[in-house]
Amino acid sequence: MRVATRLGTVLSLIGALIATAVAMGLIAACLALPALGAAGQATNGSIKIFNDMPGSFAMNPLAQQSKILAADGSVLATPFSQNRIVVPYDKISQNMKNAQVAIEDERFFEHGAIDPRGLTRAIVSNIFSNGTQGASTLTQQYVKIALQNQALNAGNTKGAQEAVSRTGMEGYVRKLQQLKYAVTMEQKYTKPQILDGYLNLVPYGGNIYGVEAAALSYFGVHASQLNLQQSAMMAGIVNEPGVLNPFMNPKGVLARRNVVLGKMYQQKMISRKQLIAAQNSPLGLHPTEASSNSCANSKYPYFCYYVISWLETQPALGKSPRERLATLQSGGLTIKTSFSPKLADVINKQIRAKVPQGNSADVQSAGVIVQPGTGLVLASGQNTTYSNTGGDFNTAVNFNIPGSLGGGSAGFQIGSTQKLFAVITALEHGYTPDSLLTVPPYDAMSPGSTSRTYDAHAFTHQDFPGACGLGQGEDWNLPNDVPEPAAGSKMTLSDATAQSINTIFASLVSKLGACNVLKTTTKLGVRMGNGSTIEAVPSSIVLGTSDVAPVDVANAYATIASGGIYCPPRPVVSITDGNGKQLKLAGTACKRVLTKKVAAETTQVLESVLTNPAGTTNGDVLLDGGRRPAAGKTGTNDNAANIWFAGYTPQMATAVWVGHEKNTAPMKNITLAGTFYKGYVFGGQLAAPIWEGIMNAALEGQPIKYFMLPDGTTPTTAPSTTSSSSSSSYTYVPPSTTAPPSSTSSSVPTHEPTTTHSPPPGRTHTGPPKHHVG
């Protein structure tokens, strides 16, 4: 049996030699070789098969790890399917080149695609010994492993197995095909190019491929820095990477390394002194993970996964999310993000200072910073630990991004931060910051009220008709904060915003048309966490009862900070492929959605939220001691389950959310970071101070910049103001007596009216919130 097997091996080798010689124009030499009977016929058949085979074989780009970089150049993660870093020939030490050639193909630089001397030696050895000696050259090995690699990358496991199969007629035919590919490779590429391709291609154990990744993984050095014994160890692993694991089988690896050193000495690559010194040295492993493959192991896992989710939307990386992820894991991409670790640390520090991770009230918090005019997300943070296993304050959910993107949250009710869009729509319809608005009469009782005193205004279908309105016969009894502004009293749009007067805003939206305000909300990019438009009902349009992710809130406010330019939020600045070509980013185009005048007037209204002592922040939330201009809006929803502050300067916009990830329990009479919050907690009490801390730290050392004025100019020094709303220079232009139509649709959805009430800090009301307010 052994003789028959040995004869088959010899015949295969003879046939391979003849076939290869034909391809090289050496048919005469092949005819001189002995061929008996059936063996000769088989050889002739092999020659025909060989000639009919395709010969083109290119050194295709190798699957290699990509890099996700922070804005400062630090590495967030290195996604890969194969841990490989391709390096050029001159970045590989001569020790490594010599070691690999010595153990795999000592005459590599002297022969062509096949080595006749090696083939003869293999034939003799296989005939007269019990062992089996191969005759593959390094080029042939490259072809075999490359074919296997290509099949694996294509998900063809069977093809990968067949690439290395040597049994049966099919195995023989595949061997012939690989030989022909080797011939064409030798004709097309230089020896250094082939060796470089080989050293970058072959496995070095585990999921480590190529010399650079192996050098970093085993010794913490680059391939260019490998010394003699390190090179010999790595070269020896290639023969059996599944067995020769330096960590699991150090004795076997050491013995194999010394064999490689012996080969190098025999081939006069090293001196006897070098041989003895190297063979007597330990393996000297210094395992180093150059960077994290998985975002889960990154210092900033939430942002890292946000980047990957966003990349899965990019057509330049493939036709589908699956293809795009495969490109990311194999294409050697360089992803430059807008992420600032410094700013992320600021967010996490400020959040945890007031809402510690693991607090007994089970309150979560998150914050995100967006750059106006670009949509670039500069940083994000939250008071949880990334984990797929769950548990208290352990979650894989990124609170800051929408779930529609992948890995994000369903969003949270945004409360009175929604009032921004009513302000914008009013200014677009001729109102000014100083326009006087009237408090509607109190002609109803708020839902659940035990008092017999009217404390709410009843809005009806007549106030909110159409597709975004109330149903026939449906009343929305909406109260105001305590102390309530007197019915029939008047206040400016700026003051109504600063004090977040619900009934005024509901009345204003009624006049403007609820669907018009909804359109404004949508054009500034605010959608629900599931990607759909916010609910087309008055409570959502006026008071923010729809669930929205913080990044979309921050980006809407960044649109105002930019002077009315909307840019889709994104975490990536650029993508460069493995060849250094920059790829086109999709969905990043900015567009003007508001006039400069409307954006400037909106800012003046929102500045009053921070400066008005009667407002929802009591005038206590200031940047740089009040020297740095800022604008924003508080928000609190049903039973203070979610509280917000979203605000901006010309340089950055930040949204802060505080609430419960998994329930709508009220934040009432709770202690956080040693501070007891009596009664219900509101946006101005907690979210706004967190925002203040983030912005002051983030902007430290940056120049003070001033907001653009309605006339299009931007002052370089603090502009003078002559009224509490900073808008006395405006001429009031009353809106049209005919409110803009909200809709002509006859479809009228019904909804549950909102029933929350959220007084700003400093007020005495401690009863349950009855409506959304800042």
Side-chain angles (χ1 to χ4, degrees), residues 317-647:
L317 302 185
K319 295 180 180 180
S320 67
R322 182 176 179 179
E323 287 185 16
R324 294 160 192 163
L325 181 61
T327 300
L328 174 64
Q329 293 176 333
S330 64
L333 307 178
T334 299
I335 314 297
K336 292 184 179 179
T337 74
S338 50
F339 180 75
S340 166
K342 180 180 178 181
L343 291 183
D345 292 344
V346 164
I347 294 174
N348 285 315
K349 179 181 179 180
Q350 293 297 325
I351 284 176
R352 284 169 167 77
K354 293 189 178 296
V355 189
Q357 181 172 350
N359 62 79
S360 59
D362 191 29
V363 174
Q364 287 80 40
S365 183
V368 60
I369 301 175
V370 176
Q371 185 179 66
T374 66
L376 291 170
V377 181
L378 302 182
S380 63
Q382 59 192 64
N383 68 337
T384 61
T385 296
Y386 185 88
S387 173
N388 285 307
T389 60
D392 293 340
F393 292 88
N394 291 332
T395 180
V397 177
N398 184 340
F399 299 150
N400 283 298
I401 67 171
S404 59
L405 191 59
S409 70
F412 311 95
Q413 292 188 12
I414 64 174
S416 288
T417 58
Q418 172 70 24
K419 288 174 180 172
L420 164 70
F421 308 107
V423 170
I424 293 170
T425 310
L427 295 171
E428 289 181 323
H429 283 81
Y431 289 75
T432 73
D434 275 346
S435 292
L436 294 177
L437 307 175
T438 303
V439 179
Y442 298 102
D443 54 10
M445 288 186 291
S446 59
S449 174
T450 58
S451 171
R452 295 183 179 180
T453 304
Y454 288 146
D455 64 350
H457 178 74
F459 291 93
T460 67
H461 174 72
Q462 283 68 40
D463 299 303
F464 290 98
C468 301
L470 298 168
Q472 292 283 354
E474 183 180 4
D475 289 341
W476 182 28
N477 294 345
L478 183 64
N480 279 319
D481 185 25
V482 177
E484 297 158 334
S489 62
K490 297 182 183 295
M491 62 177 64
T492 65
L493 176 60
S494 289
D495 287 341
T497 304
Q499 297 179 48
S500 207
I501 307 301
N502 285 340
T503 57
I504 282 183
F505 269 87
S507 179
L508 176 63
V509 172
S510 172
K511 291 180 175 66
L512 296 169
C515 283
N516 289 325
V517 178
L518 177 58
K519 289 177 182 176
T520 300
T521 306
T522 302
K523 76 179 179 181
L524 267 73
V526 170
R527 294 180 176 272
M528 295 181 66
N530 62 11
S532 62
T533 303
I534 68 166
E535 296 170 295
V537 294
S539 62
S540 172
I541 296 168
V542 179
L543 303 177
T545 59
S546 290
D547 296 329
V548 179
V551 70
D552 287 341
V553 176
N555 195 54
Y557 280 74
T559 301
I560 311 304
S562 70
I565 303 296
Y566 171 78
C567 304
R570 60 184 169 109
V572 172
V573 175
S574 66
I575 306 173
T576 305
D577 69 14
N579 296 318
K581 178 184 176 183
Q582 192 159 310
L583 304 182
K584 183 179 180 180
L585 305 182
T588 62
C590 300
K591 61 181 178 180
R592 176 165 293 282
V593 294
L594 303 175
T595 66
K596 293 180 180 180
K597 181 174 182 292
V598 166
E601 290 178 337
T602 302
T603 291
Q604 289 185 328
V605 171
L606 296 184
E607 281 183 290
S608 69
V609 174
L610 297 173
T611 59
N612 191 332
T616 54
T617 66
N618 283 349
D620 293 334
V621 177
L622 301 171
L623 299 187
D624 199 9
R627 290 180 292 274
R628 188 182 294 276
K633 185 71 185 75
T634 51
T636 306
N637 84 324
D638 292 346
N639 295 318
N642 298 284
I643 61 176
W644 292 76
F645 192 87

Side-chain angles (χ1 to χ4, degrees), residues 24-169:
M24 299 175 67
L26 301 178
I27 186 64
C30 288
L31 292 176
L33 290 174
L36 303 174
Q41 294 175 12
T43 300
N44 292 332
S46 297
I47 293 173
K48 183 179 188 307
I49 292 172
F50 189 90
N51 289 332
D52 292 340
M53 286 178 173
S56 177
F57 187 84
M59 298 177 71
N60 293 323
L62 297 174
Q64 59 178 315
Q65 63 176 230
S66 296
K67 292 183 293 184
I68 299 177
L69 304 179
D72 62 5
S74 60
V75 178
L76 297 178
T78 55
F80 57 75
S81 55
Q82 294 182 348
N83 183 12
R84 177 187 285 111
I85 305 170
V86 175
V87 289
Y89 190 70
D90 60 1
K91 296 295 183 182
I92 302 172
S93 76
Q94 191 60 45
N95 286 317
M96 188 66 220
K97 298 170 188 173
N98 289 344
Q100 203 71 74
V101 168
I103 194 63
E104 296 295 340
D105 187 355
E106 64 183 81
R107 299 185 62 254
F108 171 69
F109 286 98
E110 302 171 26
H111 61 66
I114 64 168
D115 181 6
R117 186 186 302 175
L119 183 59
T120 302
R121 183 175 62 251
I123 292 172
V124 172
S125 174
N126 291 335
I127 292 174
F128 296 106
S129 73
N130 291 331
T132 300
Q133 182 176 350
S136 293
T137 64
L138 191 145
T139 306
Q140 291 170 246
Q141 292 180 46
Y142 174 90
V143 169
K144 179 181 69 177
I145 299 172
L147 290 172
Q148 181 187 33
N149 191 61
Q150 290 171 14
L152 288 173
N153 290 340
N156 185 358
T157 305
K158 182 180 179 181
Q161 294 173 342
E162 290 175 347
V164 295
S165 173
R166 297 181 179 181
T167 60
M169 181 56 69

